Structure formats: structure tokens, C-alpha cells
């Protein structure tokens, strides 16, 4: 097992390129099951989660290859319908095969995802939506056993604008009989990308990006080619890296609009944020001001940047309040940031972050993907060395973070634990 070692204090400078979006490519990989033949997806990030989804598809008899950020997914020989526990427990997004399997094969056996450190993460909205489209669903031995003799479109209203449930329902409804309407749908850019992918396969999805999505079911879909959108969470993470180190960096191949909520608070904090075309220029400064945030569904402030933003606020002048409304217990990074000297108090789903002059390097442990990114950012400004263990978490969502940060002047390396 590796760990990452960072010697803090370098002002980052130069340019970094952003890769394709993990949270867009995962549902798109599942959506390939909706058509017979080979689909090609480009700008695919080299991440552990992409490899896991590839394994889930291969267990279904799909032939898949990933070379040089290009995925070829061929469903011609597909004969399976089970997503096993040993894979699903390592990645909740494996549940994305539920809708496509029901739509394309009329049956699916998908393991229920395991527990999560952030509290309960049920999949009840996914299951209810499949039932509303006419599927029979049993939960047995930890598996969702689903079957259908033909899905039928109808209005489906979500109590929560769930990204995952919106994606699964869109895929299941793409070839259902008649029209499906998703009310209170998620509006994330990854949902818009999935709708574009389904439409490129010959689907009829409208309204993606708004809270009401309409899907006119079509008889069949065909394989296609698609380029993945940039990863807005990776983009945001590097924006904060530039800000926290008082650096001057350019973030390329990204989509500035997708991180407007972060750009807004960074500007309020006194950070220079210039956007032009697919590039964001960050000009950080030592005396950053504290600015409160509250996470919410897109276009609100993303929960997937909450931990990274907390690292920044831990060295910002004044006190800040960070409220987490999506995953109420998503604070597993707090005890580790405190080990680096941060002053953070938790009350319910709110973190009160006080100002400290400096952080000091220490051994810390990554607990999940975004928490590990926050520890890397804190390590960039902490005095001395920070040793981050369990970095396999970071490989789930960041491709080559050491080489990218090293390219910006950070003193960072990956060493065997
Ligand atoms: C997606 O997770 C992302 N994952 C998460 O990013 C992200 O944090 C989350 O959306 C919110 O933006 C992927 O795209 C693979 P939700 P998802 O369904 O789909 C509740 C990362 O770091 N809910 O929008 O699982 C749920 O408990 C990951 O890249 C139900 O109650 O999130 C949560 O409170 C972490 N029942 C809220 O809805 C359901 O059936 C939003 O969850 C489904 C969700």
C-alpha cells in the first residue's frame, strides 16, 4: 500500500489539464448496455472506479477495453444480468446497471450497495422508480432481484433530486413504452451528459439540466461515440490548490460554468478567478477571507468540494460556517484536518471553522475520495511533511495527482507505506 508524502510551503505555478468526469463516464458506461454492439467513449479518466465499472460490465459478458483514455464497450456477446456484491461493495455506482439491464434484458440481479461512513445512503428512490415503470422487485440475500415483461413510461416524482436515481430512471425509460416524466430531477452536468449520450444512441430525452426531464421511449437504441465532459470536481480541487498555496495557475480543458458556485465564493474570499474558454486562471493570496458555504444540489455548492473547501477555510482569516445538506455526516475528514492543526467544531451537519496562522505536517489517514483530496490540499500549505496513508481512495477519482501537482511545483511523492 502506498502513501503520499508532501513537503508544504510551495506556491503553485504553471498550468494543469483536467481529465474527463468520473461521475459522467460511470453512468455512460452502464448506458452502453442499452444498445447491441460497440460504443466508443473518449476523454475517459484513468481511475480505479472506471476499472471497477469495466469489471461489472465484463461480468455481464460485455467486452471492454480502455486504452489511452478511450473506452470500447461491445455488448454483442452480453449474456449476464448480475452485478455481484464483491464489486458493488467497492463502488456504489455499480447500481447504474439496474435500469439498463431491466430495459435491455427484462431482468437484473444487483447487489445492494454496502454501508457508507457518511450515514445512510439508501437506494429506495432507484427501486421505487423501477417499480413505477412496471418492474417487479424483490430484495433477497442482499440483492435487488428485478424483472419486467416491458417497462411502461409514466410520471415519476422524486422526493430528493437524486443524481443516481435520475440517471437510472432516464436509462430505464429510454426504451420503455410511452413517455416518462421525471419531476424534481437532478440537474447536474453529468445528467445532461448522460441525456446527450442516450440521444446520440437514438433516444428522445428532453429537459435534462432542468428539474423536469421527459423521455419518450423508443423501440431500440444503437451504439455510438461520445466524448466525456471535463471533471468539475477535479477542476474545483485544483482551483483550491492554487488558492490555498497563494499560487498563480491555469486550469485547462475544463468547463468554467460548471464551477460557478465555487468561483463565486473564491472571489468573495479575495482569490483572483479569471475564466476564458476552457481555461480558469487562479491568483491566490496569503490572507484569504473566510466565506460561509452551504452544500446543495447543482447549481448549488457541490458536496464533493466541501472537504477541499474546508481545508482552504482552515487557513482563511476569520471564522466560517460550512453546512452539509446532502450527506449530513460527511465530515470524516475533520479529525484528520485537526491533526494538521485546523480548528474545526462540528454541530449536527454544520462545521465551524476557526482561523489558524499555520497548519503543521503530520501523519494522517484518507477515509474517502474527497476527504483524501482535502488532506493533500492541507499538506500543500502545512509546515514540514504530511504523510497521507490509504491513498487508494484518491485513485478512485484523481488521475496522476502527484504528477499534476508536481508539475505545478508541489513537493509531493508517492512512496510505499
Ligand atoms: C452522486 O452520488 C455522486 N456519485 C456523488 O459523488 C455525489 O456526492 C452525489 O451524487 C451528490 O452530488 C456519482 O456520481 C457516482 P444522490 P449519488 O443520489 O447518486 C439520498 C464523489 O465523490 N438518496 O444524489 O449516490 C442520499 O442518501 C461521489 O465523486 C436517497 O435517500 O447521490 C443523499 O442524501 C461521492 N435515496 C441524497 O439523496 C436514494 O435512492 C443525494 O444522493 C438515492 C439517494
Amino acid at each position: 500500500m502506498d502513501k503520499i508524502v508532501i513537503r508544504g510551503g510551495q506556491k503553485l505555478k504553471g498550468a494543469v489539464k483536467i481529465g474527463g468526469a468520473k461521475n459522467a463516464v460511470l453512468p455512460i458506461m452502464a448506458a452502453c448496455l442499452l444498445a447491441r454492439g460497440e460504443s466508443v467513449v473518449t476523454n475517459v479518466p484513468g481511475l480505479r472506479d472506471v476499472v471497477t465499472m469495466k469489471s461489472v460490465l465484463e461480468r455481464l459478458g460485455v467486452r471492454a477495453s480502455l486504452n489511452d483514455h478511450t473506452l470500447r464497450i461491445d455488448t454483442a456477446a452480453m449474456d449476464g444480468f448480475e452485478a455481484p456484491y464483491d464489486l458493488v461493495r467497492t463502488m456504489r455506482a455499480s447500481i447504474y446497471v439496474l435500469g439498463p439491464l431491466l430495459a435491455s434484458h427484462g431482468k437484473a440481479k444487483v447487489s445492494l450497495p454496502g454501508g457508507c461512513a457518511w450515514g445512510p445512503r439508501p437506494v429506495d428512490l432507484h427501486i421505487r422508480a423501477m417499480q413505477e415503470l412496471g418492474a417487479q422487485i424483490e430484495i433477497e440475500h442482499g440483492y435487488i432481484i428485478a424483472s419486467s415483461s416491458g417497462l411502461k413510461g409514466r410520471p415519476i416524482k422524486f422526493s430528493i433530486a437524486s443524481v443516481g436515481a435520475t440517471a437510472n430512471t432516464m436509462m430505464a425509460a429510454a426504451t420503455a413504452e410511452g413517455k416518462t416524466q421525471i419531476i424534481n430531477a437532478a440537474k447536474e452536468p453529468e445528467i445532461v451528459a448522460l441525456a446527450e449520450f442516450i440521444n446520440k444512441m437514438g433516444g428522445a430525452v428532453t429537459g435534462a439540466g432542468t428539474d423536469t426531464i421527459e423521455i419518450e421511449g423508443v423501440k431500440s437504441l444503437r451504439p455510438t461515440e461520445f466524448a466525456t465532459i471535463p471533471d468539475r470536481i477535479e477542476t474545483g480541487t485544483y482551483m483550491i490548490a492554487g488558492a490555498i498555496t497563494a499560487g498563480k495557475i491555469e486550469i485547462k480543458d475544463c468547463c468554467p460554468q460548471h464551477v460557478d458556485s465555487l468561483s463565486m465564493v473564491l472571489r468573495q474570499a479575495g482569490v483572483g478567478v479569471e475564466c476564458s474558454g476552457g481555461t480558469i486562471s487562479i491568483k491566490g493570496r496569503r490572507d484569504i477571507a473566510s466565506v460561509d458555504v452551504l452544500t446543495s444540489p447543482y447549481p448549488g455548492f457541490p458536496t464533493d468540494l466541501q472537504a477541499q473547501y474546508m481545508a482552504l477555510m482552515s487557513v482563511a482569516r476569520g471564522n466560517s460556517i460550512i453546512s452539509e445538506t446532502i450527506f449530513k455526516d460527511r465530515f470524516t475528514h475533520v479529525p484528520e484536518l485537526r491533526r494538521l492543526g485546523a480548528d474545526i467544531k462540528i454541530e449536527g451537519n454544520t462545521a465551524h471553522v476557526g482561523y489558524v496562522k499555520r497548519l503543521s505536517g503530520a501523519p494522517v489517514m484518507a477515509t474517502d475520495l474527497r476527504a483524501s483530496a482535502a488532506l493533500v490540499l492541507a499538506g500543500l500549505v502545512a509546515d514540514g511533511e504530511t504523510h497521507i496513508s490509504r491513498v487508494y481512495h484518491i485513485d478512485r477519482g484523481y488521475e496522476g495527482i502527484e504528477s499534476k501537482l508536481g508539475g505545478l511545483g508541489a513537493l509531493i511523492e508517492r512512496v510505499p507505506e
Side-chain angles (χ1 to χ4, degrees):
M1 239 198 315
D2 291 348
K3 67 179 177 180
I4 284 180
V5 178
I6 305 170
R7 176 165 284 286
Q10 307 299 310
K11 284 189 178 189
L12 299 188
K13 52 185 183 307
V16 62
K17 280 197 172 164
I18 295 301
K22 167 180 81 77
N23 292 346
V25 81
L26 295 177
I28 284 171
M29 290 172 75
C32 293
L33 301 176
L34 292 168
R36 260 265 166 214
E38 183 181 84
S39 289
V40 179
V41 185
T42 56
N43 195 29
V44 173
L47 303 173
R48 238 156 46 81
D49 277 10
V50 170
V51 174
T52 305
M53 185 60 92
K54 181 170 166 285
S55 306
V56 170
L57 298 182
E58 286 166 341
R59 291 286 183 90
L60 300 171
V62 169
R63 274 207 313 280
S65 66
L66 175 59
N67 295 304
D68 191 19
H69 300 102
T70 296
L71 259 174
R72 290 180 178 282
I73 294 178
D74 189 342
T75 60
M78 180 180 153
D79 55 4
F81 58 90
E82 179 172 342
Y85 176 64
D86 66 311
L87 288 174
V88 177
R89 72 184 175 82
T90 65
M91 184 185 70
R92 308 177 61 81
S94 310
I95 196 158
Y96 280 143
V97 299
L98 176 63
L101 282 173
L102 263 176
S104 60
H105 281 65
K107 59 182 172 183
K109 181 179 177 185
V110 178
S111 169
L112 281 167
C116 175
W118 313 331
R121 287 185 71 184
V123 291
D124 57 321
L125 297 175
H126 298 242
I127 292 170
R128 195 166 320 122
M130 297 306 130
Q131 289 170 323
E132 293 189 50
L133 291 173
Q136 287 72 48
I137 298 209
E138 309 288 331
I139 306 294
E140 273 171 31
H141 308 300
Y143 277 81
I144 302 166
I145 314 287
S147 62
S148 147
S149 54
L151 300 174
K152 290 191 178 42
R154 52 163 296 168
I156 294 174
K157 188 165 189 327
F158 285 145
S159 53
I160 300 169
S162 155
V163 174
T166 300
N168 237 329
T169 307
M170 250 185 355
M171 293 187 276
T175 56
E177 189 191 315
K179 184 161 82 173
T180 299
Q181 216 188 15
I182 304 177
I183 301 149
N184 192 27
K187 300 196 277 275
E188 273 65 6
E190 295 77 25
I191 291 292
V192 175
L194 178 61
E196 285 167 4
F197 180 72
I198 293 171
N199 287 347
K200 273 201 86 184
M201 293 202 292
V205 182
T206 53
T210 76
D211 52 20
T212 304
I213 297 176
E214 297 206 343
I215 305 114
E216 192 64 58
V218 297
K219 283 244 163 319
S220 66
L221 296 169
R222 58 183 179 275
T224 189
E225 297 209 3
F226 191 80
T228 315
I229 58 171
D231 193 310
R232 63 193 168 99
I233 306 301
E234 188 189 23
T235 303
T237 302
Y238 283 98
M239 290 168 72
I240 295 173
I244 203 169
T245 60
K248 197 167 180 305
I249 65 171
E250 284 199 331
I251 300 162
K252 294 187 173 300
D253 299 351
C254 67
C255 180
Q257 298 91 300
H258 290 170
V259 285
D260 275 350
S261 58
L262 175 64
S263 298
M264 194 181 68
V265 291
L266 287 182
R267 289 188 180 110
Q268 286 170 15
V271 177
V273 181
E274 294 304 324
C275 305
S276 81
T279 297
I280 298 176
S281 307
I282 295 288
K283 190 162 181 334
R285 48 191 285 174
R286 278 282 165 244
D287 58 345
I288 286 179
S290 54
V291 180
D292 300 348
V293 294
L294 175 138
T295 65
S296 59
Y298 190 86
F301 190 92
T303 173
D304 293 346
L305 285 173
Q306 179 254 97
Q308 299 94 314
Y309 185 74
M310 193 182 288
L312 178 67
M313 286 299 106
S314 64
V315 290
R317 289 195 182 288
N319 301 322
S320 58
I321 295 175
I322 298 178
S323 307
E324 175 55 66
T325 71
I326 310 271
F327 300 107
K328 305 238 173 348
D329 301 329
R330 192 176 191 172
F331 291 124
T332 49
H333 43 283
V334 170
E336 301 304 307
L337 286 175
R338 286 190 190 127
R339 286 182 51 72
L340 296 170
D343 167 14
I344 305 168
K345 295 179 188 56
I346 300 295
E347 277 171 22
N349 70 326
T350 298
H352 298 268
V353 185
Y355 166 60
V356 294
K357 264 212 178 66
R358 49 190 260 299
L359 297 177
S360 58
V364 289
M365 190 160 60
T367 48
D368 61 67
L369 167 57
R370 308 305 173 183
S372 41
L375 297 178
V376 168
L377 295 175
L380 292 174
V381 284
D383 292 352
E385 285 191 355
T386 297
H387 292 234
I388 306 171
S389 59
R390 298 189 180 184
V391 289
Y392 53 82
H393 286 293
I394 214 159
D395 297 334
R396 295 189 58 177
Y398 295 89
E399 181 175 1
I401 194 163
E402 311 94 79
S403 53
K404 286 190 178 183
L405 285 172
L408 295 171
L411 300 178
I412 180 169
E413 59 178 335
R414 179 183 295 236
V415 296
E417 181 91 62

